[in-house]
Amino acid sequence: MGDQQRAGVKTVWRESPAAVRALLLGTMVNRLGGFIQVFIVLYLTQRGFSATQAGGALGVYGAGTVLGVLTGGGMSDRIGPRLTIMSTLVCSAVLLPAVLYLDSYGAILAVIAVGAAASQAYRPASTSMISQLIPADRQVMIFAMVRLAINLGTTAAPLLGAALVQVSWDFLFWGESVAVLIFAAIAATTLPKGRGEEAAQPSEAAPDAAGQRKPSYMAVLADRKYLLFLVAMFASSMIYIQYVSTLPLTVRHEGYGTGVYASMVSLNGFLVITCELLVAKVVQRWPARLAVISGVLLTGVGMTLYALPWGLAALVIGTLVWSFGEIVGYPTLFFAYPSQAGPPELRGRYLGASNSLYGLGTALGPFVGVMLWNRFHAGLWLGCGAVGLLAVAAAWWGVRPLGQAEEAADAGEEPIGPDTETAAGPGRVTGT
């Protein structure tokens, strides 16, 4: 087990099934073509809609993604990851270009909402498939690779989209549609057909032997420790997204220009892309609780440092700290732990719940952050520290040793104390 826990990037990549490599490629292609969320406000305003209407459309897109991951998680458990990925991506590819031919604002909002939901429903299904195909002791590393694929695609998408706009705004929608269809084709030709469906069969047939667990989101809500984990997910997401909403306000308030803010964002992107796989080689040997707590704690501390009166030094140091928190904790927080925290027949719903809380946190975070900034200025960053401590406490009590996941996913469990965590953590093969 020791050699397996120390597996590096090349080893994990070489030993990964072709389906997992295909999902990594498909994810990057899909994110590379993710133009609409980035440009929807500019697109609608150039068509003559008001800025308020354009902002409302962006909000509807965000709400659709939250609904989509919940729906995708349930579908993954019922019909399997492969069919979920294929069907939702094709639906998205058909719907999103329809915005080009609609004049009614209400109709545009409806299409954007459903199209956004379909475009994000693949996420819990993809993670579920990867977690089924990759041993538990490899999952931190493989999900760090997933994050690399996401970050590479997300970083390049705005640049590619800006180039397409120079030719035609229509190319944004058709370009994203093509990228989505490519991902769907990759899923259709490479993903195993029976694995997800087989995992779903016991839950479709009956509850577990004790008659206590049914295949629904109510079973997820009955897992009290996982609810605490979801609190940690939501709180951490609320403070993480402040780098998009209130950090630029802080930079301007300190008397610096847009270039300084862009440099902070670029610094974060550079660190994540270049360092996360190297750090994952170490973190994969940590207990899941330690990885999650380290990530959310460093995120909160980094944001709090922005409140210090150190000028540019505070901006740089704060960005370094929370970026390191993202690198250390987020492969486990967003992927490895949720994919192993529940029983196999509920894996998609556990992932759907965590994805939805992340989406909700990143949707509400900017509104709350800007509101608090306008009233308290630097006090907002101290508030991020307080919320970060809340996330740490919730993670401490909510992240269970992964070997106990299946046995504990019911409403009558007793809290598992932190002293029961083992050093195996995510490196422990649990059968999920």
Side-chain angles (χ1 to χ4, degrees), residues 26-400:
T27 297
M28 186 171 68
V29 171
N30 187 54
R31 292 303 179 102
L32 185 62
F35 307 129
I36 294 178
Q37 185 176 17
V38 177
F39 291 96
I40 189 64
V41 171
L42 294 176
Y43 169 75
L44 290 177
T45 53
Q46 67 86 31
R47 277 191 58 177
F49 293 98
S50 69
T52 301
Q53 289 176 314
L58 183 61
V60 166
Y61 187 100
T65 62
V66 173
L67 178 62
V69 293
L70 287 171
T71 303
M75 290 177 63
S76 179
D77 289 337
R78 288 194 300 271
I79 66 175
R82 177 178 179 271
L83 289 178
T84 299
I85 293 170
M86 291 168 50
S87 60
T88 56
L89 289 178
V90 170
C91 178
S92 172
V94 171
L95 280 174
L96 291 177
V99 173
L100 296 169
Y101 308 101
L102 297 174
D103 295 321
S104 167
Y105 180 66
I108 290 174
L109 290 184
V111 170
I112 287 176
V114 179
S119 70
Q120 298 302 309
Y122 82 91
R123 285 164 48 190
S126 176
T127 305
S128 178
M129 174 67 77
I130 292 173
S131 70
Q132 293 175 40
L133 296 174
I134 297 294
D137 63 332
R138 297 286 203 265
Q139 289 191 15
V140 171
M141 179 62 76
I142 200 67
F143 286 125
M145 294 182 187
V146 171
R147 279 177 44 84
L148 177 62
I150 291 172
N151 287 322
L152 288 174
T154 303
T155 300
L159 301 176
L160 180 57
L164 292 176
V165 167
Q166 300 303 313
V167 181
S168 171
W169 283 96
D170 291 7
F171 282 13
L172 287 178
F173 291 84
W174 288 111
E176 180 158 341
S177 180
V178 169
V180 167
L181 288 176
I182 291 174
F183 190 6
I186 291 173
T189 56
T190 61
L191 300 189
K193 294 184 178 181
R195 187 175 296 266
E197 289 81 345
E198 290 167 2
Q201 284 176 2
S203 64
E204 293 296 333
D208 63 355
Q212 295 177 341
R213 188 171 63 223
K214 296 181 180 179
S216 71
Y217 276 107
M218 293 305 297
V220 179
L221 295 177
D223 184 347
R224 291 178 295 177
K225 291 187 75 68
Y226 195 69
L227 291 183
L228 286 174
F229 169 78
L230 293 179
V231 171
M233 170 73 77
F234 176 74
S236 182
S237 301
M238 287 276 288
I239 59 178
Y240 170 77
I241 199 62
Q242 299 307 315
Y243 88 94
V244 173
S245 56
T246 48
L247 179 57
L249 298 179
T250 296
V251 170
R252 185 176 61 185
H253 181 73
E254 293 291 330
Y256 300 107
T258 304
V260 171
Y261 171 67
S263 298
M264 297 303 101
V265 175
S266 298
L267 176 61
N268 166 256
F270 174 79
L271 291 172
V272 171
I273 290 173
T274 59
C275 299
E276 187 162 306
L277 294 181
L278 298 175
V279 174
K281 188 174 180 179
V282 176
V283 174
Q284 65 184 336
R285 303 195 297 269
W286 294 6
R289 179 185 284 119
L290 177 59
V292 171
I293 287 176
S294 298
V296 299
L297 177 61
L298 288 170
T299 300
V301 170
M303 295 294 176
T304 304
L305 291 176
Y306 288 145
L308 296 176
W310 295 352
L312 185 59
L315 297 176
V316 174
I317 296 172
T319 301
L320 287 172
V321 172
W322 69 258
S323 296
F324 189 62
E326 179 181 357
I327 291 168
V328 168
Y330 285 19
T332 304
L333 175 67
F334 292 119
F335 298 101
Y337 182 75
S339 69
Q340 300 179 61
E345 66 270 20
L346 293 173
R347 181 182 286 114
R349 290 179 174 90
Y350 270 68
L351 287 163
S354 65
N355 282 326
S356 67
L357 264 295
Y358 169 75
L360 186 61
T362 55
L364 294 179
F367 294 103
V368 176
V370 171
M371 179 182 67
L372 293 176
W373 165 260
N374 287 333
R375 184 168 182 179
F376 301 109
H377 290 289
L380 174 276
W381 301 116
L382 298 177
C384 285
V387 175
L389 291 177
L390 170 65
V392 168
W396 179 265
W397 294 106
V399 178
R400 63 168 60 91

